[in-house]
Amino acid sequence: MNRTTINGINTYSFTSREELIEYAFSEKKSLIAINAEKLLHATEQIKNLINKNIGYCDGIGAVWALKKKGFKHTIKIPGCELWPDIIRHSYHEKSFYLVGSKQDVIEQTVNKLQSSFPGIRILNYRDGYIKTEADKEALLNDIKTRKPDVVFVALGSPRQELLIEEMLRIHPAVYQGLGGSFDVYVGAVQRAPEWWVKHNLEWAYRLVKQPSRIKRQIPLVRFAWLLIINKI
Ligand code: UDP
């Protein structure tokens, strides 16, 4: 398997989405998006979590780092595109469980999936506002009983990663943390237009739309510079 360590973080080089999906089903772990910000600033706790699981290149900064280490054919796989790809690739054989976002968004997500993928087996779902310990226990028990093959968890970071860790302990499966992807899927939040995404300029589009994001994008520039001067 093509994998290397960047700043103490194990990062996989996948050359196609199918390769990643097949590997995920063979391993039954959590898929964790790696970008420049994580490569620079992940805490020890997050690093340990990534290193037990499957870190894939969700950002262009991670792709640059792998290419520089010799993995020339590494592709960028945006997490918000990966989860529908996992479904498309496997819904005839596998079962699914969805957790996250607001109640109306998760309901719309389930409806849209059922019409886009006829026959899809969604074993259960719930919104992402888990308020009490009893709610969490009920969710964990439900996962244990229903045994889904794939669990998508869209609560934002690091909340979703911590929940996934608990779920993995009681039921091995393919897990993916999705942030706000259900909101994007049902159109409650807009993504950058295709041209910007295709040219790896999604970050620039977001910056124009939301200049306050500059704070979140400085790591990419810093990361690129550190790569150029061989500090990573
Ligand atoms: N959310 C949730 N439970 C919470 C807090 C947030 O399910 O306790 C959901 C929220 O409705 C949204 C997503 O998590 O759908 C957060 O998305 P955000 O874009 O903030 O996450 P990021 O992708 O930046 O990690």
Side-chain angles (χ1 to χ4, degrees), residues 99-103 105 126-130 153-161 178-184 189 206 213 216:
V99 184
S101 68
K102 301 205 175 78
Q103 185 63 25
V105 172
R126 66 150 294 157
D127 68 81
Y129 295 82
I130 301 160
V153 187
L155 269 62
S157 291
R159 214 179 276 113
Q160 62 197 22
E161 283 75 22
L178 300 180
S181 297
F182 293 155
D183 303 86
V184 174
V189 170
R206 289 201 190 154
R213 284 185 65 98
R216 294 191 54 177

Side-chain angles (χ1 to χ4, degrees), residues 26-232:
S26 72
E27 288 286 303
K28 297 192 176 157
K29 288 180 177 171
S30 176
L31 292 162
I32 306 189
I34 306 291
N35 54 31
E37 194 178 359
K38 267 196 201 138
L39 288 171
L40 285 177
H41 300 306
T43 60
E44 281 310 307
Q45 189 194 14
I46 297 290
K47 282 187 186 180
N48 287 335
L49 191 76
I50 297 172
N51 292 346
K52 279 191 285 187
N53 287 287
I54 306 170
Y56 65 94
C57 297
D58 153 272
I60 195 66
V63 173
W64 290 336
L66 282 184
K67 286 196 170 169
K68 188 155 179 247
K69 291 210 168 211
F71 298 97
K72 298 274 179 253
H73 302 291
T74 307
I75 58 164
K76 177 178 130 173
I77 306 175
C80 66
E81 293 176 10
L82 177 59
W83 72 276
D85 276 350
I86 294 177
I87 295 179
R88 199 171 298 116
H89 188 267
S90 65
Y91 78 99
H92 292 297
E93 297 98 46
K94 307 291 186 188
S95 60
F96 302 87
Y97 199 111
L98 277 61
V99 184
S101 68
K102 301 205 175 78
Q103 185 63 25
D104 61 325
V105 172
I106 188 75
E107 279 172 12
Q108 287 176 52
T109 301
V110 169
N111 288 339
K112 191 171 165 186
L113 288 172
Q114 281 166 339
S115 58
S116 303
F117 304 100
I120 183 172
R121 281 188 299 144
I122 297 175
L123 302 183
N124 207 356
Y125 63 90
R126 66 150 294 157
D127 68 81
Y129 295 82
I130 301 160
K131 297 201 179 73
T132 64
E133 206 48 37
D135 278 357
K136 192 173 79 185
E137 284 308 314
L139 172 61
L140 291 173
N141 279 330
D142 199 40
I143 297 271
K144 202 170 162 181
T145 312
R146 295 183 194 262
K147 301 187 175 30
D149 296 307
V150 183
V151 186
F152 296 120
V153 187
L155 269 62
S157 291
R159 214 179 276 113
Q160 62 197 22
E161 283 75 22
L162 299 174
L163 182 60
I164 289 174
E165 212 182 5
E166 287 193 63
M167 289 169 159
L168 256 176
R169 237 177 271 141
I170 55 142
H171 173 63
V174 173
Y175 288 84
Q176 189 190 350
L178 300 180
S181 297
F182 293 155
D183 303 86
V184 174
Y185 185 64
V186 302
V189 170
Q190 302 296 319
R191 224 191 142 193
E194 205 181 323
W195 185 88
W196 298 77
V197 176
K198 220 166 102 193
H199 292 85
N200 290 323
L201 288 171
E202 192 164 6
W203 60 274
Y205 178 84
R206 289 201 190 154
L207 193 57
V208 175
K209 288 278 171 183
Q210 242 182 307
S212 61
R213 284 185 65 98
I214 187 84
K215 283 197 285 307
R216 294 191 54 177
Q217 288 170 343
I218 287 169
L220 182 61
V221 178
R222 207 175 135 235
F223 187 77
W225 174 243
L226 291 171
L227 268 182
I228 290 166
I229 63 170
N230 287 322
K231 287 281 160 72
I232 283 177

